[in-house]
Amino acid sequence: MLGIVTDSAAPSSRTAVVAAAIDLFVAHGYDQTSVEQIAQAAGVSRSTFFRQFGGKEDVVFADHEVLLAETRAYLSQPHDDPWVAVCEASVRVFRHFAADPELARRRYKIVREIPGLRDREIVTVFRYERLFDQYLRDALPGLDPLDAVGFAALVTAVHNHVLRRLMRGARVPASVLRRALDDALRRYGVHPDGDDAAGDDLIVAAFPRRMPAAEVTRRLRASLPD
């Protein structure tokens, strides 16, 4: 979903191997392409390939492994608003693939054609969702688990819907995803700009009824003087 090089796992080396593998998969088929062919095309040794990736399936999902680690690191930093942080993490992942849409589209085509890769993709998507879910629970003590998993699932689904449009050839700037995520924040009543609640959606302190109790607590605490 990027000469001769050394055996180090430098980012440029990994990108070259991924790009070479995707090109070969498209040209000759996933099953018909060997690790030896990938290594030769990328200018690395067979041992370097296995050290960096592990196997053909791993090279297809190499970007996601890096992105998951980067997303985890991003969410481990302090954030004023956990809900917005999850949305921003989603945008960061989207921008990675949007930076090289042609490579991302070739990878998408390969994944769609191979059942085993489709299964791996489902698991990978769930790993993002689980990461968002756990982050919200940790960042908002007392948050109803249904609110955490529900918001994590919504953000992941919105992200995937917009990303698929990009994968299928449309020009989709990150602003499209941001607008969709803004709507997700409003649906949960946690948009940082507030929400004009409907007449039957008002509770004490003018918070929408659908806003999770843990988020009400967080906002009240944030507004109180030290």
Side-chain angles (χ1 to χ4, degrees), residues 14-63:
R14 290 178 61 87
T15 301
V17 176
V18 170
I22 296 299
D23 287 343
L24 287 170
F25 294 155
V26 171
H28 305 295
Y30 177 81
D31 292 330
Q32 290 70 37
T33 301
S34 68
V35 168
E36 287 76 11
Q37 288 172 311
I38 297 171
Q40 183 177 14
V44 301
S45 67
R46 189 171 183 273
S47 61
T48 295
F49 177 90
F50 283 115
R51 184 159 54 252
Q52 290 184 354
F53 302 101
K56 288 198 304 181
E57 184 173 302
D58 298 303
V59 79
V60 174
F61 292 92
D63 284 4

Side-chain angles (χ1 to χ4, degrees), residues 182-219:
D182 276 345
D183 184 61
L185 289 165
R186 290 190 175 93
R187 285 174 182 269
Y188 263 72
V190 295
H191 195 284
D193 293 340
D195 186 17
D196 295 330
D200 61 348
D201 195 31
L202 293 176
I203 61 172
V204 176
F207 290 112
R209 189 187 304 277
R210 62 183 176 276
M211 181 180 289
E215 174 64 7
V216 173
T217 300
R218 186 189 71 81
R219 293 194 181 193

Side-chain angles (χ1 to χ4, degrees), residues 117-134:
L117 297 181
R118 292 201 301 270
D119 292 342
R120 172 77 175 265
E121 183 178 50
I122 292 171
V123 172
T124 301
V125 169
F126 178 70
R127 290 172 66 190
Y128 284 103
E129 181 180 324
R130 184 172 58 185
L131 180 59
F132 295 156
D133 174 21
Q134 189 59 56

Side-chain angles (χ1 to χ4, degrees), residues 8-165:
S8 64
S12 59
S13 171
R14 290 178 61 87
T15 301
V17 176
V18 170
I22 296 299
D23 287 343
L24 287 170
F25 294 155
V26 171
H28 305 295
Y30 177 81
D31 292 330
Q32 290 70 37
T33 301
S34 68
V35 168
E36 287 76 11
Q37 288 172 311
I38 297 171
Q40 183 177 14
V44 301
S45 67
R46 189 171 183 273
S47 61
T48 295
F49 177 90
F50 283 115
R51 184 159 54 252
Q52 290 184 354
F53 302 101
K56 288 198 304 181
E57 184 173 302
D58 298 303
V59 79
V60 174
F61 292 92
D63 284 4
H64 281 299
E65 293 303 319
V66 173
L67 288 168
L68 280 162
E70 291 179 349
T71 300
R72 188 175 294 104
Y74 171 75
L75 292 176
S76 69
Q77 301 170 10
H79 296 283
D80 292 336
D81 190 322
W83 307 94
V84 172
V86 168
C87 292
E88 184 60 31
S90 170
V91 172
R92 289 162 65 97
V93 173
F94 178 86
R95 280 181 165 166
H96 170 84
F97 293 107
D100 192 347
E102 289 308 313
L103 179 60
R105 286 164 186 156
R106 293 200 300 268
R107 174 193 169 277
Y108 177 77
K109 181 176 183 296
I110 294 162
V111 171
R112 293 294 86 195
E113 293 174 349
I114 308 298
L117 297 181
R118 292 201 301 270
D119 292 342
R120 172 77 175 265
E121 183 178 50
I122 292 171
V123 172
T124 301
V125 169
F126 178 70
R127 290 172 66 190
Y128 284 103
E129 181 180 324
R130 184 172 58 185
L131 180 59
F132 295 156
D133 174 21
Q134 189 59 56
Y135 165 71
L136 287 172
R137 297 192 200 202
D138 293 341
L140 296 167
L143 179 66
D144 189 324
L146 288 177
D147 289 322
V149 72
F151 188 77
L154 177 57
V155 168
T156 305
V158 167
H159 172 98
N160 289 340
H161 174 76
V162 176
L163 184 60
R164 283 193 201 98
R165 291 175 57 189

